[in-house]
Amino acid sequence: MRPEHQDHQEHQKHQDHRDQDRSPAPAPGPAAASADRDARRAVTVFPLFVLLAGAAGLLSPSSFGGWAPSVPYLLGVVMFCMGLTMTPPDFRGVLRRPRAVALGLAAQYVIMPGTGWLVAEALGLSPELAAGVILVGCAPGGTASNVVTYLARGDVALSVSVTSASTLLSPLVTPALTLLLAGEFLPVDAGSMVGDILKTVLLPVLAGLAVRLLAGRHVTRALPVLPWLSVLAIGVIVAVVVAGSADAIRAAAATVLVAVVLHNGLGLVLGYAVGRIGRLGVPARRALAFEVGMQNSGLAASLAAAHFSPAAALPAAVFSVWHNVSGALAAAWLTRRSRRRPTGGGAER
């Protein structure tokens, strides 16, 4: 066995070779306590509200029977709100840290689609459920990952950059991956899916960004309201999706929950592992864990309902609830680890 001082030298050599992608955990500022409370409230209320919305759709599906055509517009509201929260520094961050962002994008669009296919095969899911699980994996990262990264003392700037980049790439990447992996289960009209993502994701995001640039002062005052508007829209989407697949839920609820928990858990663990293999610092590893494990399940639900069937949208509806619960729990655990030991490049395994 090597002497301890030699181990220390080896460790220090690796530390010295780490590049600019390693960043320190966010330092608490004057408004940190208030921001932390707001973030915890959002990450707690969101899954509870979505759970209640899903229960309403399950218990009274007839109440949402005619709402299905509104789902793309509700998703547009969510993405418009996302665009309003973006600023030019979010995109400059991609240029400043291309290696870390590229690593996050590759992990996002390889790990989650691949593990979605593996989970569907391993559990022997029906074609509709298999396509739904894979579609969740092919979706871009969700904005909730940014909040959870903050709570976990992760690299928020990297998280926002990867979310923004994956969202802008989604009109090209999501349909192609869905066709590749879900095409063996159900027919996939990739061209039509590209058009839907452009209309319900890219255009609303760009519109929100334009409004932020043109009326930044007014938008800044409205920022505290935007997360709750998004939560309301996603809750209605989940209620409509669940109402449309109420019978399928009763028949396959346990199977879908197992699939979602496995899919999300593998994403969190493998996302963190990619950051570690890529020699990123601990805060950046945490950011990648949540970027990979937490998806834009609202988009997946909308696409599944439009292109497959209501039953195919079920995994996305369950994912909407579960990934916020698992993310909040993981963030709490990582925060306790940060308090027990420094968050340096090699402190966390």
Side-chain angles (χ1 to χ4, degrees):
M1 184 176 293
R2 294 185 302 177
E4 287 186 5
H5 72 275
Q6 188 175 350
D7 286 341
H8 175 75
Q9 289 176 345
E10 185 75 10
H11 171 71
Q12 188 61 45
K13 183 171 69 173
H14 286 301
Q15 288 288 90
D16 293 340
H17 282 83
R18 290 176 186 269
D19 60 15
Q20 61 186 0
D21 294 333
R22 196 187 80 185
S23 57
S34 174
D36 194 70
R37 283 195 302 271
D38 289 343
R40 289 184 185 279
R41 188 178 301 118
V43 86
T44 300
V45 171
F46 181 44
L48 291 177
F49 179 78
V50 173
L51 184 62
L52 290 174
L58 182 63
L59 296 175
S60 182
S62 60
S63 301
F64 303 92
W67 291 34
S70 67
V71 169
Y73 299 100
L74 291 168
L75 179 62
V77 170
V78 175
M79 303 316 298
F80 179 72
C81 291
M82 177 182 175
L84 288 175
T85 65
M86 289 181 174
T87 59
D90 297 338
F91 300 97
R92 287 200 293 269
V94 176
L95 301 177
R96 284 196 302 265
R97 305 172 67 185
R99 176 179 175 274
V101 174
L103 194 62
L105 287 173
Q108 169 73 49
Y109 281 125
V110 172
I111 290 174
M112 288 306 277
T115 54
W117 183 87
L118 288 173
V119 167
E121 288 284 351
L123 296 180
L125 299 180
S126 68
E128 290 82 4
L129 294 180
V133 169
I134 291 170
L135 185 52
V136 170
C138 296
T143 54
S145 62
N146 307 150
V147 177
V148 175
T149 297
Y150 170 78
L151 291 177
R153 305 294 187 263
D155 189 332
V156 178
L158 176 60
S159 176
V160 172
S161 294
V162 175
T163 298
S164 303
S166 68
T167 299
L168 294 178
L169 288 174
S170 63
L172 296 177
V173 180
T174 297
L177 288 173
T178 304
L179 176 62
L180 176 66
L181 298 173
E184 67 177 88
F185 297 101
L186 291 176
V188 177
D189 186 347
S192 176
M193 193 175 288
V194 169
D196 284 350
I197 298 177
L198 285 172
K199 290 184 292 186
T200 60
V201 175
L202 191 59
L203 290 181
V205 167
L206 293 178
L209 179 60
V211 171
R212 177 71 181 268
L213 293 175
L214 295 174
R217 183 182 306 174
H218 302 289
V219 173
T220 300
R221 287 199 293 266
L223 285 178
V225 180
L226 297 182
W228 303 108
L229 181 59
S230 297
V231 167
L232 178 62
I234 291 176
V236 177
I237 290 173
V238 170
V240 174
V241 168
V242 169
S245 55
D247 293 337
I249 291 176
R250 297 185 182 97
T255 302
V256 172
L257 181 60
V258 170
V260 165
V261 171
L262 283 174
H263 196 191
N264 169 247
L266 288 170
L268 293 172
V269 172
L270 294 177
Y272 189 95
V274 165
R276 186 179 177 191
I277 293 170
R279 296 176 178 261
L280 302 184
V282 169
R285 297 178 201 173
R286 294 179 178 185
L288 290 196
F290 295 119
E291 280 304 305
V292 174
M294 301 182 72
Q295 300 292 87
N296 188 338
S297 46
L299 171 61
S302 175
L303 292 176
H307 292 271
F308 298 140
S309 68
L314 178 56
V318 176
F319 203 98
S320 293
V321 180
W322 175 252
H323 78 157
N324 285 278
V325 174
S326 66
L329 292 174
W333 179 68
L334 290 170
T335 301
R336 285 197 295 270
R337 286 174 63 88
S338 296
R339 290 169 182 164
R340 289 200 301 267
R341 64 170 102 179
T343 315
E348 185 171 278
R349 299 297 178 188

